[in-house]
Amino acid sequence: MKRSSRLSIALHALVHLHAQPDKQLSSAALATCLMTNPVVVRRILGELREADIVEASKGPNGGWTLSRPATEITLRDVYAALGERMLLRTESDPGDTTCAIVRSVDRVMHDFLNDAEALLAARLQRVRLSDLATEALHAGFPRLD
């Protein structure tokens, strides 16, 4: 199983936005602390903008801000906005649909991963961005200046 880093990048960026509510943070500034490219940040935050989680303003003093309080944003909101599964699995042999074993393994694994995904989503619903930010702030994460 492969895990995507997009959710981690999104959450990391959102904690920075929450920690500095009076400041608009640029994609470049966020990318520096996320150790990624500003284009990656813009793409991910663009998806979050569509879900009304963040707002963006253009111009030399523009940047990203949260569009609502962190207490109103669940990790599941962020997860859903990205539109991807956390658990990925490739088919055993997508070209061989005649083998009963391949079909059985794929069906069982598909059902298992759907159940696991539902459990993860339910857990994400119970955690708010503000909870994550509080934990990070207590751990002493640095603010962007």
Side-chain angles (χ1 to χ4, degrees), residues 96-110:
D96 186 1
T97 58
T98 61
C99 178
I101 295 171
V102 168
R103 288 194 317 267
S104 294
V105 167
D106 287 343
R107 182 184 46 75
V108 168
M109 290 305 297
H110 178 76

Side-chain angles (χ1 to χ4, degrees):
M1 286 181 269
K2 178 184 171 189
R3 186 178 60 87
S4 171
S5 63
R6 289 168 25 93
L7 180 60
S8 295
I9 290 171
L11 294 173
H12 191 155
L14 292 173
V15 168
H16 278 288
L17 295 178
H18 168 70
Q20 299 180 72
D22 299 328
K23 192 173 185 181
Q24 294 183 355
L25 299 178
S26 70
S27 298
L30 289 166
T32 298
C33 72
L34 297 171
M35 294 181 281
T36 191
N37 189 292
V39 173
V40 172
V41 172
R42 280 191 290 277
R43 285 183 183 152
I44 291 172
L45 293 183
E47 292 179 59
L48 300 182
R49 180 180 50 214
E50 295 295 316
D52 195 34
I53 295 172
V54 297
E55 297 174 332
S57 60
K58 296 181 180 181
N61 296 319
W64 298 95
T65 58
L66 293 179
S67 61
R68 49 191 158 126
T71 56
E72 296 177 13
I73 301 169
T74 68
L75 273 56
R76 185 174 186 170
D77 294 335
V78 178
Y79 163 72
L82 296 175
E84 63 184 23
R85 295 177 60 113
M86 290 178 60
L87 302 174
L88 304 175
R89 181 182 179 276
T90 59
E91 301 298 318
S92 299
D93 184 357
D96 186 1
T97 58
T98 61
C99 178
I101 295 171
V102 168
R103 288 194 317 267
S104 294
V105 167
D106 287 343
R107 182 184 46 75
V108 168
M109 290 305 297
H110 178 76
D111 291 348
F112 173 79
L113 291 175
N114 281 344
D115 290 348
E117 194 77 28
L119 290 170
L120 288 168
R123 178 66 177 109
L124 291 172
Q125 182 65 36
R126 296 194 312 255
V127 181
R128 305 204 171 278
L129 178 61
S130 56
D131 301 330
L132 181 61
T134 298
E135 185 174 324
L137 290 170
H138 286 305
F141 97 97
R143 291 177 167 227
L144 292 176
D145 291 322

